[in-house]
């Protein structure tokens, strides 16, 4: 595998951190973006024992902040080969509770964060005539449920954005690949951030019974990155073996 410069948002924990560790172990240069500087610094120090990394404190809902992350990659490593939009939130609740702040936060992070990542790096990839986006959606993008309407809507948007981008870049023959990844129950911090306590308790029980390690997601992402440049893995859906929905 050729060494690549890989930018990862949501890199301070969960799927983002697992991706960063694995890709660095494979010889890539990783650029970490998230809001928690202490976590970023700790992860970067750990990675630098075996590979190469740098980081920038990043709020993906803010375009200027996301562009600064892209600039960090260019200043440090000179290019951007892969941009992974892994930042995401899941504060699920019934519509009747009217948790508008939660809805807006999910829209800002889950949707605008992906769009800001694309805006911050697409021109660079087109100039290089090569690149790849990996956008983390969810199985909730394909099948919604009570209490999860807004979360599902944001993740369905990620799916649609990814597919439209794939078609545009294929038509432009830009060399830019697009992969959307839809995980099921993964053992991350997402459930701990659910604001409705009744919903959270139910989800904690479900995740305790079914959730798998974020390393599983990192492995399939690495496979998509390592495919020859003439082949794109456009969509990946993965669940714990015993998860039904």
């Amino acid at each position: 595998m050729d060494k690549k410069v890989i930018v990862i948002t949501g890199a301070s924990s969960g799927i983002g951190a697992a991706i960063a560790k694995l890709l660095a172990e494979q010889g890539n240069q990783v650029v970490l973006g998230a809001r928690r500087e202490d976590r970023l610094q700790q992860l970067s120090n750990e990675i630098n024992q075996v590979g190469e990394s740098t980081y920038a404190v990043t709020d993906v809902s803010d375009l200027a902040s996301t562009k600064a992350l892209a600039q960090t990659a260019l200043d440090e490593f000179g290019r951007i080969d892969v941009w992974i939009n892994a930042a995401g939130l899941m504060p699920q609740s019934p519509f009747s509770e009217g948790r508008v702040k939660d809805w807006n936060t999910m829209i800002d992070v889950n949707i605008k964060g992906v769009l800001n990542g694309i805006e911050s790096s697409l021109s660079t990839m087109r100039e290089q005539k090569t690149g790849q986006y990996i956008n983390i959606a969810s199985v909730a993008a394909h099948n919604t449920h009570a209490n999860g309407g807004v979360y599902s809507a944001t993740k369905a948007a990620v799916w649609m954005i990814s597919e439209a981008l794939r078609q545009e870049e294929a038509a432009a023959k830009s060399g830019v690949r697009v992969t959307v990844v839809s995980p099921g129950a993964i053992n991350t911090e997402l459930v701990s951030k659910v604001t409705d306590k009744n919903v959270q308790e139910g989800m904690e029980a479900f995740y305790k019974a079914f959730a798998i390690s974020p390393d599983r997601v990192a492995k399939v992402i690495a496979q998509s990155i390592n495919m020859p440049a003439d082949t794109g893995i456009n969509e990946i859906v993965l669940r714990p073996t015993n998860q039904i929905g």
Side-chain angles (χ1 to χ4, degrees), residues 1-4 79 81-82 125 128-133 166 169-170 173-179 222-234:
M1 184 192 71
D2 295 332
K3 179 189 293 186
K4 292 181 171 65
R79 58 188 294 116
D81 295 300
V82 183
M125 292 186 187
Q128 296 168 172
K129 295 183 172 52
T130 183
Q132 184 175 8
Y133 287 98
R166 182 197 69 78
E169 297 310 301
K173 296 181 171 55
S174 67
V176 176
R177 303 184 293 181
V178 181
T179 302
Q223 289 174 352
S224 73
I225 291 172
N226 295 338
M227 290 295 291
D230 64 357
T231 304
I233 297 178
N234 304 131

Side-chain angles (χ1 to χ4, degrees), residues 41 68 158-159 220 231:
Q41 188 173 49
V158 172
W159 191 98
V220 298
T231 304

Side-chain angles (χ1 to χ4, degrees), residues 5 31 54 67-80:
V5 177
V31 183
T54 190
K67 285 189 172 183
L69 176 63
Q71 193 60 51
T72 297
L74 295 173
D75 291 344
E76 191 74 21
F77 299 122
R79 58 188 294 116
I80 299 172

Side-chain angles (χ1 to χ4, degrees), residues 79-91:
R79 58 188 294 116
I80 299 172
D81 295 300
V82 183
W83 187 287
I84 302 177
N85 285 303
L89 296 172
M90 190 178 65

Side-chain angles (χ1 to χ4, degrees), residues 72-180:
T72 297
L74 295 173
D75 291 344
E76 191 74 21
F77 299 122
R79 58 188 294 116
I80 299 172
D81 295 300
V82 183
W83 187 287
I84 302 177
N85 285 303
L89 296 172
M90 190 178 65
Q92 300 192 22
S93 62
F95 285 111
S96 59
E97 291 191 357
R99 293 179 181 265
V100 177
K101 183 178 179 180
D102 287 352
W103 303 346
N104 287 335
T105 300
M106 281 190 281
I107 291 167
D108 286 345
V109 174
N110 296 358
I111 300 177
K112 291 182 181 178
V114 171
L115 294 171
N116 288 341
I118 294 167
E119 170 61 17
S120 299
S121 53
L122 182 57
S123 61
T124 296
M125 292 186 187
R126 282 195 163 199
E127 288 173 9
Q128 296 168 172
K129 295 183 172 52
T130 183
Q132 184 175 8
Y133 287 98
I134 297 175
N135 299 325
I136 306 299
S138 168
V139 295
H142 301 269
N143 183 23
T144 194
H145 55 83
N147 307 318
V150 178
Y151 178 72
S152 290
T154 65
K155 290 304 185 177
V158 172
W159 191 98
M160 291 293 184
I161 289 165
S162 301
E163 174 59 13
L165 179 63
R166 182 197 69 78
Q167 292 183 26
E168 290 178 13
E169 297 310 301
K173 296 181 171 55
S174 67
V176 176
R177 303 184 293 181
V178 181
T179 302
V180 59

Side-chain angles (χ1 to χ4, degrees), residues 20-33:
K21 291 175 185 177
L22 178 59
L23 294 177
E25 288 171 1
Q26 293 182 348
N28 299 290
Q29 297 165 315
V30 296
V31 183
L32 313 171

